[in-house]
Amino acid sequence: MRSPSDALVQVNFSLYPGDVKRLESLVGELRKKGVAVRRGTVLRGLIELTSATDMFAAAMLQHIDYKSKAGPRESDYQSSFAAVDLPQRLIDKLEGVIEVLAAKEVAANRSSIVRAMLRSAPAGAQLALAFRQYLVDHPRKPRSDRTHRK
């Protein structure tokens, strides 16, 4: 029986076109290396595998980059939303990073932190190795039968 802390909560992340490309690129790289993942698995894995300190650092670098730009922060509109089922502890992890950033007067939300992680994620063999272990520790759950949903 699962404890209440293991209950999954669906969280939506807004992504820009470049972030969607990066996510698809990571999925493709992992699949080429024999790691069976989907987009949600990659996002959940990045949140799990990235320390709060590294999340903070990626978000700060993104903030500094945005601050140095004249005009809008992004050249495109948000084009996609990724819905990911997360355990409450990972939501709390993201919220903790948001609180630390807010203490430094940096505005952030869950989506901005996930976008920063996507942009700074390692590639290739290092990522594949981490995700192979992640899938051993956190096996993928099969998708529900969507034909019965209305």
Side-chain angles (χ1 to χ4, degrees):
M1 180 193 248
R2 290 184 143 201
S3 71
S5 63
D6 290 337
L8 298 176
V9 178
Q10 188 176 66
V11 180
N12 293 306
F13 300 107
S14 58
L15 302 173
Y16 291 99
D19 303 317
V20 174
K21 269 188 185 173
R22 176 66 175 149
L23 178 56
E24 292 297 333
S25 171
L26 291 173
V27 169
E29 286 178 38
L30 287 166
R31 286 181 179 169
K32 282 180 188 171
K33 301 229 180 270
V35 183
V37 293
R38 298 184 296 253
R39 289 172 24 149
T41 306
V42 170
L43 291 174
R44 190 172 30 262
L46 285 175
I47 295 166
E48 179 80 48
L49 296 170
T50 306
S51 71
T53 302
D54 287 343
M55 286 182 188
F56 171 81
M60 280 301 291
L61 290 173
Q62 182 171 272
H63 169 72
I64 291 166
D65 182 49
Y66 282 167
K67 210 169 151 181
S68 68
K69 287 183 179 180
R73 295 183 292 179
E74 299 286 344
S75 59
D76 291 322
Y77 292 104
Q78 292 174 344
S79 69
S80 182
F81 292 91
V84 181
D85 293 332
L86 296 177
Q88 186 61 47
R89 65 184 172 74
L90 293 183
I91 296 169
D92 294 343
K93 183 179 182 180
L94 289 167
E95 292 297 326
V97 173
I98 292 167
E99 288 176 17
V100 174
L101 288 165
K104 305 278 185 199
E105 299 183 6
V106 175
N109 58 38
R110 294 174 191 163
S111 292
S112 64
I113 293 169
V114 167
R115 289 192 300 265
M117 286 190 318
L118 271 173
R119 295 170 186 186
S120 65
Q126 181 183 3
L127 186 67
L129 182 64
F131 266 86
R132 277 192 189 96
Q133 186 59 50
Y134 171 76
L135 290 173
V136 168
D137 296 340
H138 306 278
R140 284 183 8 190
K141 292 170 183 54
R143 288 185 171 179
S144 63
D145 183 6
R146 294 180 182 191
T147 58
H148 298 291
R149 289 188 182 179
K150 293 190 180 200

